[in-house]
Amino acid sequence: MPTKKYHHGDLKNALTRAGVEILSRDGIAGLSLRKVAQEAGVSHTAPYAHFADKQALIAAISTEGFRILFEHLSKIREQYQADPQCQLVEAAWAYVRFAQTDPAHFQVTFSGAVESEKDYPALVEMTGKSFGEVTRIVEACQASGLLRPGPVDMLAVSVWGIVHGFASLLIAGQISHTLLDRMTVREMLIFSLDQITLTPLHPGDFPEFLDD
């Protein structure tokens, strides 16, 4: 008999979390609503109260991932409104921290496993809002002279690609331990951003606040 793993009234979140765990462990082929129900410790019919099929569940997982990113990015942009350098560094760090602290959810969010994104308006909206925050941060950096001028959306894709690539290599264990013994992850991230900024970024100028 499966152990009950969710609090009353929180079934949808429990199913979403169970889906993340199964996807990270078994891949899309190993995902089914029945398995999700078993993982969450509920009846096999319970998931259908929230998800029509497994694609709807994957879309919900991705939507939640982008919502987490959006909330981090918008908070950082507002907190450092007068300091584009901090906006760039802290937004990138929040992205990497999401990958570090919840790699399964991070990987599913960016897996491209949703076959027809346009069928899930909440996902479309949240991906747009997340990218909108990236473009606003990039635009502020351009206005301050930190990043080169040009089409803001294209530059935003480039910045996103650098940070995403770094985060993906990190959680895949593909960054040499020789480097990790020499520099912290945060220092390496700032070094990577420094390759595209027009003014130098020094890790010492961006101390990490451990209570963030």
Side-chain angles (χ1 to χ4, degrees), residues 35-198:
K35 284 187 178 180
V36 167
Q38 184 177 15
E39 182 88 12
V42 298
S43 73
H44 70 274
T45 59
Y48 291 96
H50 296 284
F51 308 110
D53 52 31
K54 76 176 185 179
Q55 274 289 304
L57 173 60
I58 296 169
I61 292 168
S62 296
T63 301
E64 177 63 10
F66 280 110
R67 185 195 64 76
I68 290 168
L69 284 173
F70 169 73
E71 289 189 352
H72 284 313
L73 298 180
S74 58
K75 179 182 176 182
I76 287 164
R77 188 173 59 82
E78 291 172 10
Q79 183 177 352
Y80 298 104
Q81 215 163 28
D83 191 340
Q85 277 195 343
C86 278
Q87 285 187 43
L88 179 64
V89 170
E90 299 304 334
W93 182 236
Y95 195 95
V96 171
R97 289 294 294 151
F98 174 40
Q100 281 186 305
T101 58
D102 200 350
H105 200 167
F106 178 84
Q107 289 171 319
V108 173
T109 298
F110 294 102
S111 66
V114 179
E115 294 171 358
S116 183
E117 189 175 303
K118 69 179 187 305
D119 291 339
Y120 304 97
L123 175 58
V124 172
E125 178 186 12
M126 199 50 67
T127 56
K129 288 174 75 171
S130 299
F131 185 65
E133 288 301 313
V134 176
T135 58
R136 290 182 186 94
I137 290 169
V138 168
E139 195 168 33
C141 291
Q142 286 180 306
S144 71
L146 182 64
L147 293 174
R148 61 174 51 85
V152 65
D153 53 351
M154 292 301 297
L155 187 55
V157 169
S158 297
V159 172
W160 193 346
I162 289 169
V163 177
H164 183 81
F166 178 85
S168 298
L169 287 172
L170 180 66
I171 63 175
Q174 295 302 308
I175 296 179
S176 167
H177 284 289
T178 303
L179 291 175
L180 291 170
D181 288 343
R182 203 167 77 224
M183 301 174 73
T184 67
V185 170
R186 185 174 168 92
E187 287 170 343
M188 290 181 67
L189 174 64
I190 294 172
F191 180 87
S192 298
L193 294 172
D194 186 51
Q195 306 312 299
I196 59 168
T197 56
L198 299 177

Side-chain angles (χ1 to χ4, degrees), residues 11-27:
L11 176 58
K12 185 174 182 180
N13 286 336
L15 294 169
T16 300
R17 188 69 241 172
V20 169
E21 297 303 324
I22 293 170
L23 281 167
S24 67
R25 187 176 66 232
D26 305 327

